[in-house]
Amino acid sequence: PGSRSKSESKGSESKVDTIERLLLVVHLYHYMYLCKEQGMEEMACNLALSLLRFIGDIPADKMFFLAGNMCKEIDWMDKAFILHNRYIDLSDAIAEEDMGLLVDNSDFANTDIPYDHPLPKWNYLSDDAQEEVREWILGSAMQMDVTQEPISMEWLREIRSEVSQQLGHIIRRYDRGALQIDEHLVQVRQLYNI
């Protein structure tokens, strides 16, 4: 299975499906930052990696940068390299306003990370911060211990499985009054009679 097209998946979605998808995105994004604040770096990283499949709902350059940075923080340098490299490709495409610059998708080809997504109108990072990422990539490319293997769907499934197993625990630990997302969706359906 190749990368799915965001326009394909959104085109057949009902309004309820859209609300449910966006609610899930907000839910995961919130817990990503909550985990980061609480020193749970690996879980925050796993959530960031899980959010990559929602590129289009979240600006692509921002999500690749955040996921890459979080991988760096937990010493997953191989993954950080791939993600930051994609971030730089995206930042160049944004600067040139040309999605055609993103021809190589081989690092994500067999995943469900969208390839056909809107190009953000502006870069997430300043020019100086982009240059720091670019320098880190160049430095990492020279290191023998950083491999440049593509991201695999199998690895993403493992990450998402861990997120799924841990998310209930995180909700109970940090947000005592939070309902599980399915309970929120039942309430939304009842409120709008859908």
Side-chain angles (χ1 to χ4, degrees):
S3 296
R4 69 186 168 93
S5 166
K6 198 64 168 171
S7 56
E8 285 176 23
S9 64
K10 283 187 175 181
S12 61
E13 237 180 12
S14 71
K15 289 180 182 179
V16 173
D17 292 336
T18 301
I19 290 169
E20 288 178 351
R21 185 188 76 251
L22 294 175
L23 183 58
L24 177 62
V25 169
V26 169
H27 185 78
L28 294 173
Y29 203 80
H30 167 76
Y31 283 105
M32 176 186 71
Y33 277 105
L34 186 61
C35 288
K36 181 121 176 77
E37 286 175 8
Q38 298 299 320
M40 300 168 64
E41 285 85 9
E42 187 170 339
M43 188 63 189
C45 181
N46 289 346
L47 285 159
L49 292 164
S50 296
L51 282 163
L52 287 172
R53 83 175 125 168
F54 298 106
I55 286 174
D57 296 320
I58 302 170
D61 64 324
K62 179 178 185 176
M63 210 57 246
F64 277 104
F65 171 76
L66 291 174
N69 247 22
M70 290 184 189
C71 283
K72 267 177 35 179
E73 289 172 8
I74 61 171
D75 292 324
W76 290 354
M77 296 306 178
D78 301 343
K79 304 304 184 197
F81 180 86
I82 297 295
L83 295 164
H84 276 318
N85 202 30
R86 183 57 165 195
Y87 165 76
I88 290 299
D89 291 345
L90 281 162
S91 68
D92 291 345
I94 293 167
E96 297 294 323
E97 297 180 8
D98 184 5
M99 191 71 168
L101 295 175
L102 299 173
V103 262
D104 183 15
N105 192 46
S106 58
D107 290 332
F108 306 97
N110 294 317
T111 70
D112 61 355
I113 297 172
Y115 180 66
D116 178 20
H117 53 76
L119 194 61
K121 294 183 194 276
W122 54 84
N123 278 300
Y124 174 63
L125 296 178
S126 68
D127 290 344
D128 290 341
Q130 287 175 51
E131 195 56 37
E132 286 178 31
V133 174
R134 199 176 304 272
E135 288 174 16
W136 182 84
I137 289 170
L138 290 173
S140 296
M142 304 305 264
Q143 295 177 5
M144 296 294 221
D145 59 339
V146 175
T147 61
Q148 299 177 29
E149 293 183 27
I151 305 273
S152 72
M153 194 63 216
E154 182 180 338
W155 182 72
L156 286 173
R157 280 190 197 105
E158 289 173 24
I159 295 294
R160 292 172 186 163
S161 175
E162 193 170 320
V163 166
S164 181
Q165 291 170 11
Q166 293 293 318
L167 199 53
H169 167 71
I170 292 168
I171 290 169
R172 288 187 298 279
R173 181 172 175 191
Y174 293 109
D175 197 356
R176 302 267 184 234
L179 297 171
Q180 296 291 330
I181 193 166
D182 290 336
E183 293 176 33
H184 284 293
L185 298 177
V186 168
Q187 290 174 358
V188 167
R189 288 185 183 116
Q190 288 173 346
L191 182 65
Y192 293 99
N193 294 321
I194 46 178

